[in-house]
Amino acid sequence: MKRSHYCGDVRATDTDKEVQLLGWVHRRRDHGGLIFIDLRDRSGLVQVVFNGDDKKLLAEAEKLRIEFVLEIKGKVVKRTPETINKNIKTGEIEIAANYLEILNTSKTPPIEIADPTNEPDEMVRLRYRYLDLRKDKMRENLIYRHKIIKAMSDYMDNKGFLEIETPFLTKSTPEGSRDFLVPSRLNPGRFYALPQSPQLFKQLLMVSGMEKYFQVVRCFRDEDLRADRQPEFTQLDIEMSFVGRDDVISVIEGLLEHSLKALEKDIDQYRGKIIPLISLPFPRLSWEDAMNRFGSDKPDLRFGMELIDISDLVAGTECAIFAKTVKSGGVVKCLNIKQKKLSRAELEKFEELAKKLGAKGLAWMVLESDGPKSPIAKFFKEHELELIFKKAQAETGDILLFAADKFEMACNVLGSVRMELGKKLNLIDANSFKFAWIIDFPLFEYSETEKRWVSRHHPFTSPQGTLDDIEERFLKDPSSLKAQAYDLVLNGVEIGGGSIRIHRRDIQEKVFKILGLPDKEVQLRFNFLLEALEYGAPPHGGIALGLDRLVMMLAGMESIRDVIAFPKTQSALCPLTGAPDVVDPHQLKEAHIRIAA
RNA sequence: GGGCCCGUAGUGUAGCCCGGUUUAACACGCCUGCCUGUCACGCAGGAGAUCGAGGGUUCAAAUCCCUUCGGGCCCGCCA
C-alpha cells in the first residue's frame, strides 16, 4: 500500500491524475448527499469529495469521523473559481474519491486537533502527547527543530568536524549539578552517573588527536525544572584543538548564519515561523559591562533602559543608605523609566520584586513639573539631585528607580526590574533576535552556602594569564581572576557557553587546589584527566549550544516543552508513560538496591 | 526548601470577590435526524459535570475557611 502523493503536495498541475492518499480525517462536512473530508497527513490538508454518484461509497463515507485513518483513491479535479479555498496550499483542487478504505477508527480525541485556538491543559497534552503532536503547532515545531539540527550537522561536517559518541553510563564527578545515578548490577554498590555534559570525554578526544569534534547529545541534570529547563536536554557539543576564543566564536557565528539560512528553504513546512535575520559578528560584551549596563550576565538587548551607576555622585551625600553602601564597597545604580506613568502601587510592586530577590529596598523618584516626588529626595541637596538627573538623562515625566547594594546584588536586582519593566511597558519587539557574546567572565565566584570559591563555568576552564599570575591574584583577590570563557546569549536567554580549557596538569591541579578539593578527592574523581593531560594534550577549547532553548526562541515558543516531543512536567514526571515508577522487587535486588522506608 | 497563580461535562471558558432565581451557563466536540458545493458547512433535536479530593462554617457552599492532591510561573538550585 503506497501513497502517490502527500495530501499537502497535490496541486492544480496534477489535475486529472488518479491519486492515492493516506491520512487522517481532519474535518468532515456532511451535506447528506454530498460529503467533504479534509484529509490530513504530515504535509498538510486536501479536500476529498464524495459526491453521491456512487451510493455505496457515499454510505461508507457517512461512517467517517474525526481522526479516522483512511486510504483514499480518486481523481484530482480543479475547483470552480468560486469554490477555491485560498487558505490552504491545495485549495485550487480537490480529490473526487472513487475508493475509500477505513484503515482504523478513532475514539473522540480529548484534544481538538483541528482547532488551534483550543489548547488543553498541559497535563492533558502530555498525557495524550501523540495527539498533541498531531496539531499544526507541534508538528511544525518538530519539523523546524529537525531542519535546524540537520543544517547544523551538515555545517559541522563540512567544516571537518567528526561526530563522535560518548558514553551515557559514566562517572559521577563532584562540582556541578546533581547527577542522575544508575546502579551497576555487575558491580554491587557502584553507580554510573548520566553525564551532565560530555565535557571530559570531549577533552579526552582532543588529547586523542581528533582535533575537531561535535555531537548532538543528550545531557542530564537532576535539578529543579523551569520553563526552559528539563532534566534531559540536547546540546550541540563542540571541541577543537589549537584554538583560541575567537576561533570558537567564529565557528558558532558561521554555524548560526548557515543554519538560519537553511531554514528558509523549507519555510512552507512551518508557516508562521519567523526566520531571524542576523548580522555578523555578534556584539561582544564583557561580563562586567553586561552586569553594569543591563544587570545581567545574559542581557536582553532588544531594548535599552540601561542601568546608570551613580555611586560617585551619592557617596558624599546625606542619604545615609546610599553613602554607606558606597563607603563599604557597594554600588548605587538607577534605572530611568522614560516618560511612562506608574502608579504608587505599581512602584511598590517593583520594590516587592526587588526585595524578593534579596535587595534591601528599591527607592524611586517621580520627576514631576514641580520637582521630584520621592521618599528620599529630601536627603539630597538641589545640586546633588541635578548631577544625578544629568547623569541619568532624566527630565520631567521620567521615573528613576534606585538600588544600593553589593555590586552583583544591585546589578541583578535592577536587571530583573528592567526586564519586568520591559515586558510591562511593551518595550520588547517580539520579532527581533539579538544575539550577543558575553566574555571575560570571572573564573571563580564565592559560594555563600559552601563557604568557598567555586568555578563559575567549570573547573576545566582556563584562566586568563600565566600560572604565576593566577597564584598571585588568587591570594590577593580571587574574584579578580578572569576566565577564558564565553557565553552566547539570545534575547536574554543563555543558549550556549564554552571556554578554552586547561591543557596542563600543573594548572589544572592548581585550580582544583583553589577550589578546595581535597587531594584524595581529586585523585579519585579526576585522576584520569590529570593523567591524560600529561601525554601531550594539545591546547583546546570548545562550546555547547542548548538546542532546545535555541529552537524554542527561534520558534517563538515560551516553553522548552513545546519543542521537545516527550517532555516532563515541572515535577519531572511523564504523564504519558507514568515514569518514574516503582519497579519489581527482583529488579531492585539485581541492582543491589534496598529502598529506605 | 520557599513565594505566587490555576483546577467547573470529552476540550476551552463564564459563574466564585458580594453564599440562595442556577434546574450550574456558553462555545467547540459528541449522538440522532434533515440537507448535492462546503471548507470553522447549515438547520432541528439530544446526551454529557458527584464544580480536583477530604474536612469545616452555615438553614443553605462551585462560591467562605482549613487540609490535601495535581498542573503552571518564579526564587533557591542548575560547575
Side-chain angles (χ1 to χ4, degrees):
Chain A
M1 183 165 57
K2 259 176 74 178
R3 56 176 32 121
S4 67
H5 291 71
Y6 282 96
C7 296
D9 293 344
V10 188
R11 289 292 180 278
T13 50
D14 298 310
T15 303
D16 292 335
K17 278 187 197 158
E18 285 292 325
V19 295
Q20 182 171 6
L21 303 175
L22 302 168
W24 287 259
V25 176
H26 190 64
R27 264 193 272 262
R28 71 190 168 102
R29 293 176 290 281
D30 183 347
H31 292 234
L34 175 73
I35 296 173
F36 298 99
I37 295 293
D38 288 338
L39 193 68
R40 183 194 72 239
D41 63 22
R42 208 181 78 189
S43 66
L45 298 177
V46 69
Q47 174 165 278
V48 178
V49 195
F50 299 89
N51 63 16
D53 295 346
D54 181 340
K55 294 297 172 207
K56 254 173 100 178
L57 187 62
L58 187 74
E60 189 69 4
E62 276 170 12
K63 296 184 196 156
L64 297 181
R65 292 295 179 269
I66 277 175
E67 297 308 312
F68 278 27
V69 188
L70 310 183
E71 178 188 354
I72 296 276
K73 290 180 195 166
K75 194 167 154 189
V76 179
V77 295
K78 258 201 175 97
R79 299 201 199 180
T80 58
E82 67 277 11
T83 60
I84 285 175
N85 183 353
K86 292 203 184 81
N87 299 321
I88 59 175
K89 291 180 289 180
T90 58
E92 283 183 35
I93 54 91
E94 62 193 6
I95 311 300
N98 51 43
Y99 175 87
L100 162 66
E101 188 179 340
I102 298 175
L103 301 178
N104 207 348
T105 59
S106 171
K107 293 181 21 176
T108 302
I111 291 177
E112 292 188 32
I113 289 147
D115 184 357
T117 66
N118 180 313
E119 182 158 280
D121 182 86
E122 195 153 8
M123 196 60 184
V124 175
R125 293 179 58 203
L126 294 184
R127 168 83 177 76
Y128 298 96
R129 192 59 158 180
Y130 44 88
L131 298 178
D132 193 41
L133 295 181
R134 285 185 193 171
K135 296 189 78 162
D136 289 345
K137 168 176 145 179
M138 291 304 295
R139 184 186 64 246
E140 287 169 9
N141 284 353
L142 292 183
I143 295 173
Y144 189 84
R145 178 180 174 126
H146 161 73
K147 292 290 179 188
I148 193 162
I149 294 178
K150 171 72 166 61
M152 288 180 162
S153 274
D154 290 346
Y155 182 85
M156 298 310 288
D157 176 50
N158 278 329
K159 291 287 173 185
F161 287 78
L162 301 176
E163 179 155 23
I164 301 172
E165 290 168 272
T166 52
F168 278 180
L169 295 177
T170 180
K171 191 176 160 86
S172 177
T173 51
E175 302 286 290
S177 70
R178 195 174 293 116
D179 288 318
F180 280 100
L181 299 176
V182 181
S184 168
R185 175 181 60 86
L186 296 175
N187 302 278
R190 292 177 181 244
F191 294 83
Y192 302 99
L194 302 180
Q196 301 166 26
S197 85
Q199 182 60 35
L200 293 174
F201 288 106
K202 68 175 173 175
Q203 290 189 234
L204 294 175
L205 286 170
M206 294 304 100
V207 181
S208 311
M210 293 298 146
E211 304 226 11
K212 290 174 158 188
Y213 143 94
F214 85 102
Q215 187 180 189
V216 175
V217 65
R218 199 67 56 82
C219 303
F220 306 87
R221 294 179 188 175
D222 188 6
E223 298 292 346
D224 286 1
L225 285 73
R226 289 284 190 283
D228 62 355
R229 272 161 42 184
Q230 282 275 305
E232 47 181 313
F233 60 98
T234 305
Q235 285 190 342
L236 176 67
D237 196 44
I238 295 173
E239 197 77 5
M240 290 175 269
S241 295
F242 310 111
V243 293
R245 177 189 74 195
D246 293 357
D247 300 301
V248 178
I249 284 180
S250 79
V251 165
I252 296 302
E253 290 184 343
L255 170 81
L256 286 170
E257 183 179 49
H258 167 86
S259 309
L260 294 178
K261 267 204 191 113
L263 285 174
E264 284 165 22
K265 195 158 50 83
D266 300 297
I267 186 94
D268 65 324
Q269 293 182 51
Y270 27 81
R271 287 157 321 180
K273 299 280 178 292
I274 298 155
I275 308 300
L277 291 169
I278 58 169
S279 61
L280 298 181
F282 298 145
R284 297 183 193 184
L285 281 166
S286 72
W287 176 83
E288 203 168 336
D289 280 348
M291 293 300 286
N292 260 320
R293 293 172 54 195
F294 301 98
S296 171
D297 58 4
K298 43 183 168 57
D300 190 333
L301 302 181
R302 287 175 298 177
F303 67 108
M305 199 156 80
E306 298 189 14
L307 319 196
I308 302 135
D309 194 302
I310 54 164
S311 305
D312 51 335
L313 301 181
V314 299
T317 64
E318 304 203 343
C319 182
I321 312 160
F322 285 7
K324 230 194 273 170
T325 301
V326 177
K327 198 179 279 175
S328 61
V331 297
V332 179
K333 290 180 152 288
C334 74
L335 276 178
N336 185 355
I337 306 165
K338 297 297 287 180
Q339 302 298 311
K340 300 274 184 194
K341 292 240 178 303
L342 287 177
S343 68
R344 200 190 170 85
E346 286 169 321
L347 290 170
E348 274 167 8
K349 272 248 166 67
F350 283 108
E351 176 161 29
E352 212 172 288
L353 168 70
K355 281 183 173 164
K356 236 167 50 183
L357 295 172
K360 291 172 209 92
L362 188 73
W364 65 78
M365 281 190 196
V366 183
L367 304 200
E368 295 181 358
S369 46
D370 55 344
K373 293 280 172 302
S374 166
I376 59 163
K378 58 177 181 257
F379 300 121
F380 295 96
K381 301 197 178 77
E382 186 88 2
H383 72 277
E384 290 170 346
L385 282 176
E386 241 148 62
L387 283 174
I388 292 170
F389 295 159
K390 196 175 160 209
K391 180 135 191 209
Q393 298 184 329
E395 53 197 356
T396 303
D398 293 354
I399 300 172
L400 296 179
L401 297 179
F402 301 87
D405 219 307
K406 284 186 214 145
F407 174 74
E408 274 194 58
M409 178 63 79
C411 291
N412 280 329
V413 164
L414 280 189
S416 299
V417 171
R418 171 180 175 270
M419 283 312 299
E420 281 306 305
L421 285 164
K423 280 178 219 157
K424 190 183 166 68
L425 303 175
N426 275 324
L427 305 176
I428 300 173
D429 174 4
N431 293 335
S432 118
F433 292 85
K434 298 287 189 195
F435 287 90
W437 291 102
I438 311 302
I439 57 175
D440 298 335
F441 277 83
L443 187 60
F444 303 116
E445 63 188 336
Y446 192 74
S447 164
E448 292 293 344
T449 47
E450 296 185 47
K451 302 289 175 214
R452 67 180 180 100
W453 292 89
V454 298
S455 297
R456 187 177 273 271
H457 187 53
H458 57 53
F460 321 111
T461 303
S462 179
Q464 298 182 9
T466 65
L467 185 57
D468 293 341
D469 246 21
I470 298 162
E471 297 218 67
E472 198 187 312
R473 298 190 69 161
F474 179 74
L475 290 173
K476 229 188 271 169
D477 177 12
S479 68
S480 72
L481 276 167
K482 295 275 189 284
Q484 295 196 51
Y486 30 85
D487 275 3
L488 181 60
V489 168
L490 168 58
N491 293 354
V493 175
E494 181 197 328
I495 56 165
S499 62
I500 300 303
R501 328 295 184 188
I502 297 167
H503 67 282
R504 273 173 45 185
R505 178 170 181 139
D506 54 349
I507 298 181
Q508 187 65 72
E509 282 182 320
K510 173 63 58 188
V511 168
F512 285 146
K513 194 153 278 163
I514 287 171
L515 293 174
L517 297 184
D519 289 348
K520 223 170 120 190
E521 179 89 349
V522 169
Q523 182 67 24
L524 202 66
R525 302 293 181 189
F526 296 117
N527 189 47
F528 67 99
L529 173 70
L530 292 172
E531 230 174 57
L533 295 182
E534 291 182 298
Y535 289 97
H540 61 283
I543 190 166
L545 298 185
L547 293 182
D548 315 275
R549 277 189 194 170
L550 178 62
V551 175
M552 167 186 86
M553 306 283 298
L554 296 177
M557 296 296 118
E558 307 235 307
S559 165
I560 206 178
R561 297 186 296 277
D562 283 345
V563 297
I564 295 174
F566 300 102
K568 299 195 169 44
T569 65
Q570 192 159 60
S571 45
L573 306 174
C574 172
L576 174 52
T577 62
D581 208 343
V582 294
V583 296
D584 191 280
H586 291 301
Q587 286 177 279
L588 284 179
K589 202 172 170 196
E590 281 188 327
H592 316 285
I593 296 220
R594 203 177 311 131
I595 308 293

